[in-house]
PDB file of all heavy atoms in Angstrom:
ATOM      1  N   MET A  16       0.854  -1.192   0.000  1.00  0.00           N
ATOM      2  CA  MET A  16       0.000   0.000   0.000  1.00  0.00           C
ATOM      3  C   MET A  16       0.887   1.237   0.000  1.00  0.00           C
ATOM      4  O   MET A  16       1.657   1.470   0.924  1.00  0.00           O
ATOM      5  CB  MET A  16      -0.857  -0.037   1.279  1.00  0.00           C
ATOM      6  CG  MET A  16      -1.770   1.140   1.453  1.00  0.00           C
ATOM      7  SD  MET A  16      -2.764   0.917   2.962  1.00  0.00           S
ATOM      8  CE  MET A  16      -2.590   2.530   3.701  1.00  0.00           C
ATOM      9  N   ALA A  17       0.838   2.010  -1.109  1.00  0.00           N
ATOM     10  CA  ALA A  17       1.682   3.209  -1.187  1.00  0.00           C
ATOM     11  C   ALA A  17       1.137   4.290  -0.257  1.00  0.00           C
ATOM     12  O   ALA A  17      -0.072   4.416  -0.086  1.00  0.00           O
ATOM     13  CB  ALA A  17       1.705   3.716  -2.618  1.00  0.00           C
ATOM     14  N   ILE A  18       2.070   5.037   0.327  1.00  0.00           N
ATOM     15  CA  ILE A  18       1.655   6.052   1.294  1.00  0.00           C
ATOM     16  C   ILE A  18       2.005   7.443   0.787  1.00  0.00           C
ATOM     17  O   ILE A  18       3.140   7.696   0.384  1.00  0.00           O
ATOM     18  CB  ILE A  18       2.353   5.793   2.649  1.00  0.00           C
ATOM     19  CG1 ILE A  18       1.723   4.568   3.302  1.00  0.00           C
ATOM     20  CG2 ILE A  18       2.234   6.991   3.567  1.00  0.00           C
ATOM     21  CD1 ILE A  18       2.385   4.165   4.574  1.00  0.00           C
ATOM     22  N   ASP A  19       1.029   8.321   0.811  1.00  0.00           N
ATOM     23  CA  ASP A  19       1.270   9.730   0.519  1.00  0.00           C
ATOM     24  C   ASP A  19       1.624  10.383   1.856  1.00  0.00           C
ATOM     25  O   ASP A  19       0.748  10.673   2.669  1.00  0.00           O
ATOM     26  CB  ASP A  19       0.005  10.339  -0.093  1.00  0.00           C
ATOM     27  CG  ASP A  19       0.161  11.833  -0.367  1.00  0.00           C
ATOM     28  OD1 ASP A  19       1.100  12.448   0.182  1.00  0.00           O
ATOM     29  OD2 ASP A  19      -0.667  12.375  -1.116  1.00  0.00           O
ATOM     30  N   VAL A  20       2.932  10.584   2.076  1.00  0.00           N
ATOM     31  CA  VAL A  20       3.392  11.041   3.392  1.00  0.00           C
ATOM     32  C   VAL A  20       2.731  12.358   3.792  1.00  0.00           C
ATOM     33  O   VAL A  20       2.298  12.525   4.932  1.00  0.00           O
ATOM     34  CB  VAL A  20       4.921  11.250   3.403  1.00  0.00           C
ATOM     35  CG1 VAL A  20       5.394  11.660   4.783  1.00  0.00           C
ATOM     36  CG2 VAL A  20       5.627  10.002   2.983  1.00  0.00           C
ATOM     37  N   GLU A  21       2.661  13.271   2.821  1.00  0.00           N
ATOM     38  CA  GLU A  21       2.134  14.588   3.186  1.00  0.00           C
ATOM     39  C   GLU A  21       0.657  14.494   3.592  1.00  0.00           C
ATOM     40  O   GLU A  21       0.223  15.132   4.547  1.00  0.00           O
ATOM     41  CB  GLU A  21       2.332  15.570   2.035  1.00  0.00           C
ATOM     42  CG  GLU A  21       2.019  16.987   2.459  1.00  0.00           C
ATOM     43  CD  GLU A  21       2.598  18.040   1.540  1.00  0.00           C
ATOM     44  OE1 GLU A  21       3.577  17.747   0.814  1.00  0.00           O
ATOM     45  OE2 GLU A  21       2.072  19.170   1.556  1.00  0.00           O
ATOM     46  N   ALA A  22      -0.100  13.669   2.869  1.00  0.00           N
ATOM     47  CA  ALA A  22      -1.526  13.524   3.202  1.00  0.00           C
ATOM     48  C   ALA A  22      -1.677  12.884   4.589  1.00  0.00           C
ATOM     49  O   ALA A  22      -2.494  13.318   5.406  1.00  0.00           O
ATOM     50  CB  ALA A  22      -2.216  12.684   2.144  1.00  0.00           C
ATOM     51  N   TYR A  23      -0.856  11.868   4.857  1.00  0.00           N
ATOM     52  CA  TYR A  23      -0.901  11.227   6.178  1.00  0.00           C
ATOM     53  C   TYR A  23      -0.497  12.203   7.267  1.00  0.00           C
ATOM     54  O   TYR A  23      -1.073  12.233   8.345  1.00  0.00           O
ATOM     55  CB  TYR A  23       0.024  10.003   6.200  1.00  0.00           C
ATOM     56  CG  TYR A  23      -0.688   8.702   5.913  1.00  0.00           C
ATOM     57  CD1 TYR A  23      -1.232   8.453   4.657  1.00  0.00           C
ATOM     58  CD2 TYR A  23      -0.831   7.724   6.891  1.00  0.00           C
ATOM     59  CE1 TYR A  23      -1.894   7.260   4.388  1.00  0.00           C
ATOM     60  CE2 TYR A  23      -1.486   6.533   6.634  1.00  0.00           C
ATOM     61  CZ  TYR A  23      -2.013   6.309   5.384  1.00  0.00           C
ATOM     62  OH  TYR A  23      -2.675   5.139   5.126  1.00  0.00           O
ATOM     63  N   TYR A  24       0.532  12.969   6.963  1.00  0.00           N
ATOM     64  CA  TYR A  24       1.014  13.936   7.948  1.00  0.00           C
ATOM     65  C   TYR A  24      -0.096  14.927   8.288  1.00  0.00           C
ATOM     66  O   TYR A  24      -0.365  15.209   9.458  1.00  0.00           O
ATOM     67  CB  TYR A  24       2.252  14.672   7.392  1.00  0.00           C
ATOM     68  CG  TYR A  24       2.857  15.666   8.346  1.00  0.00           C
ATOM     69  CD1 TYR A  24       3.906  15.322   9.183  1.00  0.00           C
ATOM     70  CD2 TYR A  24       2.361  16.968   8.409  1.00  0.00           C
ATOM     71  CE1 TYR A  24       4.445  16.247  10.070  1.00  0.00           C
ATOM     72  CE2 TYR A  24       2.893  17.897   9.282  1.00  0.00           C
ATOM     73  CZ  TYR A  24       3.941  17.531  10.113  1.00  0.00           C
ATOM     74  OH  TYR A  24       4.472  18.455  10.985  1.00  0.00           O
ATOM     75  N   ARG A  25      -0.725  15.499   7.239  1.00  0.00           N
ATOM     76  CA  ARG A  25      -1.786  16.492   7.474  1.00  0.00           C
ATOM     77  C   ARG A  25      -2.889  15.912   8.352  1.00  0.00           C
ATOM     78  O   ARG A  25      -3.430  16.583   9.209  1.00  0.00           O
ATOM     79  CB  ARG A  25      -2.396  16.949   6.148  1.00  0.00           C
ATOM     80  CG  ARG A  25      -1.540  17.905   5.374  1.00  0.00           C
ATOM     81  CD  ARG A  25      -2.251  18.397   4.118  1.00  0.00           C
ATOM     82  NE  ARG A  25      -1.307  18.976   3.192  1.00  0.00           N
ATOM     83  CZ  ARG A  25      -0.741  20.169   3.333  1.00  0.00           C
ATOM     84  NH1 ARG A  25      -1.068  20.914   4.370  1.00  0.00           N
ATOM     85  NH2 ARG A  25       0.129  20.615   2.457  1.00  0.00           N
ATOM     86  N   ARG A  26      -3.210  14.662   8.137  1.00  0.00           N
ATOM     87  CA  ARG A  26      -4.360  14.084   8.840  1.00  0.00           C
ATOM     88  C   ARG A  26      -4.001  13.567  10.242  1.00  0.00           C
ATOM     89  O   ARG A  26      -4.788  13.709  11.162  1.00  0.00           O
ATOM     90  CB  ARG A  26      -4.927  12.945   7.983  1.00  0.00           C
ATOM     91  CG  ARG A  26      -6.203  12.346   8.510  1.00  0.00           C
ATOM     92  CD  ARG A  26      -6.913  11.536   7.444  1.00  0.00           C
ATOM     93  NE  ARG A  26      -7.966  10.699   7.993  1.00  0.00           N
ATOM     94  CZ  ARG A  26      -9.147  11.128   8.411  1.00  0.00           C
ATOM     95  NH1 ARG A  26      -9.436  12.410   8.339  1.00  0.00           N
ATOM     96  NH2 ARG A  26     -10.047  10.301   8.914  1.00  0.00           N
ATOM     97  N   TYR A  27      -2.803  12.997  10.384  1.00  0.00           N
ATOM     98  CA  TYR A  27      -2.522  12.271  11.632  1.00  0.00           C
ATOM     99  C   TYR A  27      -1.382  12.815  12.488  1.00  0.00           C
ATOM    100  O   TYR A  27      -1.220  12.397  13.631  1.00  0.00           O
ATOM    101  CB  TYR A  27      -2.204  10.797  11.311  1.00  0.00           C
ATOM    102  CG  TYR A  27      -3.359  10.079  10.671  1.00  0.00           C
ATOM    103  CD1 TYR A  27      -3.334   9.744   9.326  1.00  0.00           C
ATOM    104  CD2 TYR A  27      -4.490   9.744  11.412  1.00  0.00           C
ATOM    105  CE1 TYR A  27      -4.400   9.084   8.724  1.00  0.00           C
ATOM    106  CE2 TYR A  27      -5.564   9.084  10.822  1.00  0.00           C
ATOM    107  CZ  TYR A  27      -5.511   8.758   9.485  1.00  0.00           C
ATOM    108  OH  TYR A  27      -6.574   8.123   8.909  1.00  0.00           O
ATOM    109  N   ALA A  28      -0.548  13.704  11.917  1.00  0.00           N
ATOM    110  CA  ALA A  28       0.676  14.065  12.645  1.00  0.00           C
ATOM    111  C   ALA A  28       0.396  14.743  13.989  1.00  0.00           C
ATOM    112  O   ALA A  28       1.107  14.513  14.962  1.00  0.00           O
ATOM    113  CB  ALA A  28       1.567  14.951  11.775  1.00  0.00           C
ATOM    114  N   ALA A  29      -0.649  15.580  14.041  1.00  0.00           N
ATOM    115  CA  ALA A  29      -0.937  16.265  15.305  1.00  0.00           C
ATOM    116  C   ALA A  29      -1.290  15.237  16.385  1.00  0.00           C
ATOM    117  O   ALA A  29      -0.853  15.352  17.538  1.00  0.00           O
ATOM    118  CB  ALA A  29      -2.073  17.266  15.117  1.00  0.00           C
TER     119      ALA A  29
END
Side-chain angles (χ1 to χ4, degrees):
Chain A
M16 179 177 134
I18 287 176
D19 177 344
V20 183
E21 190 162 338
Y23 264 67
Y24 182 94
R25 284 184 197 285
R26 186 163 167 75
Y27 297 108

